[in-house]
Amino acid sequence: MNEALLRSLTPGVLGILVRRGADFAAAEDAVQDALIEALRVWPADQPRDPKGWLVTVAWRRFLDAARADTARRRREDVVEEEPAPGPAPGVDDTLQLYFLCAHPSLTPSSAVALTLRAVGGLTTRQIAQAYLVPEATMAQRISRAKRTVSAVRFDRPGDVATVLRVLYLVFNEGYSGDVDLAAEAIRLTRQLAAAIDHPEVAGLLALMLLHHARRAARTAPDGSLVPLAEQDRSRWDTRGIAEGVAVLQAALARDRLGEFQAQAAVAALHADAPTPGETDWVQIVEWYDELVRLTDSPVVRLNRAVAVGEADGPRAGLAALSVLDDALPRYTAVAAYLHERDGDPVTAARLYAEAARKASDLAERDHLTRQAARLNARRRA
């Protein structure tokens, strides 16, 4: 049973149901029912046209639910005839569905959350972690967004900025999370870049390409994380880096700087360094200063503290860190690293162990635990 195939088909099926008149919440429920039925039936008899099968079954589920619910009688008047089984259109509707979910009736944060859940396939917990809010808060936000869009027609697509934010978060989760969504996010961003002449679309594409180019070196054969400074740079995809740099340079030449271009510039400086010691940390700090100006994000300020520690020494990095909220994700791990660089292995080991307890990602937790054990073993030796 190919679950990856089911995930890849879901956005297109959902988009077809929405265009045929199903409201978003009912369409999502119908598609989920069809996926469950596919998991039950396909292992023994997978259809020749999987997408057409899912469209037919999901549409039937939607019609059944509409007829059974008297509160939706008014919608039944506009429901089209059930389509005959057969091949589904080969058009890729995924990017269009991203724009439809970024509906003007929603706030940008609600539109992003809804799209990540319904189209991106992320769990509520993963979305909550990306937004630095409790899972229950995010669940309420998604529920409110569903109620809002259930009463509107999807005839006014949302803005590019919201769609870019969704694609960025999908890529980030796919790059380091449980479900591989990174390649899909790159594919959709390429489509968007081909359709829209927008420097931030190009900036996001460059950022994705540069990060994806070193993906093979990010983990060891046993699945453990490999920090940037320890990665085998011969395993980096030089063609991907060259493409990312070229896309970024073209975007920066337009002199309309945005968040994604600035992030891509930081990634390009890392990719350009032949060795960790040759990294231009001073220029990286300058780009983080631009990012702080553009976003005022606490996560950006946290990353800037690391860069300051590399450019001006660990004491300067700790000073930059001291003004931030210590509840920030990875704050304790950054503090541990800077204390180790400052020659305080006792404090660093304690902080690494504390950061490991806080980490939600298993690979990150294992890495931090090993860092603490390494320092403790060195101290006992």
Side-chain angles (χ1 to χ4, degrees):
M1 180 62 206
N2 192 339
E3 294 187 17
L5 172 62
L6 283 176
R7 286 199 301 270
S8 69
L9 293 175
T10 298
V13 175
L14 184 57
I16 289 171
L17 264 65
V18 168
R19 288 202 306 279
R20 286 178 175 166
D23 70 81
F24 189 87
E28 186 184 20
D29 290 342
V31 172
Q32 291 301 318
D33 288 345
L35 293 176
I36 293 171
E37 183 69 6
L39 289 170
R40 186 183 69 82
V41 173
W42 286 12
D45 183 21
Q46 182 165 326
R48 287 193 298 271
D49 179 17
K51 185 174 182 180
W53 189 97
L54 285 171
V55 170
T56 299
V57 172
W59 188 249
R60 287 173 178 162
R61 292 292 191 274
F62 166 71
L63 290 178
D64 289 344
R67 294 188 183 105
D69 188 351
T70 56
R72 297 178 183 178
R73 292 293 182 185
R74 185 170 59 86
R75 290 194 186 93
E76 287 186 352
D77 295 336
V78 296
V79 172
E80 298 176 8
E81 293 291 331
E82 178 183 342
V91 178
D92 183 358
D93 304 298
T94 308
L95 191 56
Q96 180 187 11
L97 194 57
Y98 271 67
F99 273 95
L100 292 176
C101 287
H103 197 276
S105 63
L106 296 172
T107 63
S109 61
S110 293
V112 171
L114 177 63
T115 314
L116 290 173
R117 183 70 186 92
V119 188
L122 273 63
T123 65
T124 303
R125 179 180 61 82
Q126 289 170 322
I127 302 168
Q129 289 173 346
Y131 270 89
L132 310 181
V133 299
E135 184 175 350
T137 301
M138 183 54 64
Q140 292 174 354
R141 184 180 299 176
I142 293 172
S143 295
R144 285 196 300 269
K146 286 182 178 180
R147 287 195 298 271
T148 299
V149 299
S150 68
V152 300
R153 295 290 296 177
F154 282 83
D155 54 359
R156 292 188 299 148
D159 66 349
V160 175
T162 300
V163 173
L164 288 178
R165 178 63 51 188
V166 173
L167 289 169
Y168 174 64
L169 291 174
V170 168
F171 176 82
N172 279 347
E173 190 59 43
Y175 189 55
S176 61
D178 301 326
V179 180
D180 187 356
L181 298 166
E184 174 68 358
I186 291 174
R187 183 184 72 84
L188 293 172
T189 307
R190 283 190 189 278
Q191 284 187 7
L192 189 57
I196 299 176
D197 184 19
H198 192 298
E200 272 296 79
V201 176
L204 178 58
L205 178 59
L207 177 62
M208 290 179 175
L209 291 170
L210 289 164
H211 278 310
H212 204 63
R214 61 182 185 84
R215 184 173 186 177
R218 290 185 72 248
T219 54
D222 63 359
S224 59
L225 289 180
V226 180
L228 176 61
E230 299 172 19
Q231 289 176 14
D232 179 359
R233 300 188 177 212
S234 68
R235 299 184 65 197
W236 289 3
D237 177 5
T238 54
R239 290 180 61 184
I241 290 172
E243 182 186 3
V245 169
V247 171
L248 172 63
Q249 288 175 339
L252 290 175
R254 301 178 64 177
D255 199 23
R256 289 170 54 195
L257 184 64
E259 172 188 357
F260 295 121
Q261 295 171 69
Q263 286 195 54
V266 171
L269 287 167
H270 282 300
D272 189 53
T275 66
E278 296 173 86
T279 303
D280 190 345
W281 286 106
V282 172
Q283 218 182 137
I284 287 175
V285 172
E286 292 174 356
W287 278 111
Y288 273 124
D289 288 339
E290 289 289 343
L291 273 168
V292 169
R293 180 182 64 81
L294 289 165
T295 69
D296 196 28
S297 163
V299 175
V300 169
R301 292 181 181 276
L302 184 69
N303 291 333
R304 180 185 178 278
V306 177
V308 169
E310 298 291 350
D312 300 327
R315 293 285 174 90
L318 287 167
L321 186 68
S322 67
V323 301
L324 302 180
D325 185 353
D326 61 7
L328 275 171
R330 296 189 173 88
Y331 177 101
T332 309
V334 169
Y337 173 74
L338 291 172
H339 276 289
E340 180 182 0
R341 291 222 33 234
D342 194 38
D344 186 357
V346 175
T347 301
R350 175 178 59 79
L351 290 172
Y352 275 130
E354 181 182 339
R357 291 191 295 270
K358 294 178 179 178
S360 57
D361 178 76
L362 179 60
E364 182 181 0
R365 183 162 61 246
D366 289 345
H367 170 72
L368 293 169
T369 300
R370 284 194 297 272
Q371 295 295 88
R374 172 180 57 82
L375 291 180
N376 286 327
R378 183 185 300 171
R379 187 158 51 96
R380 289 193 295 266

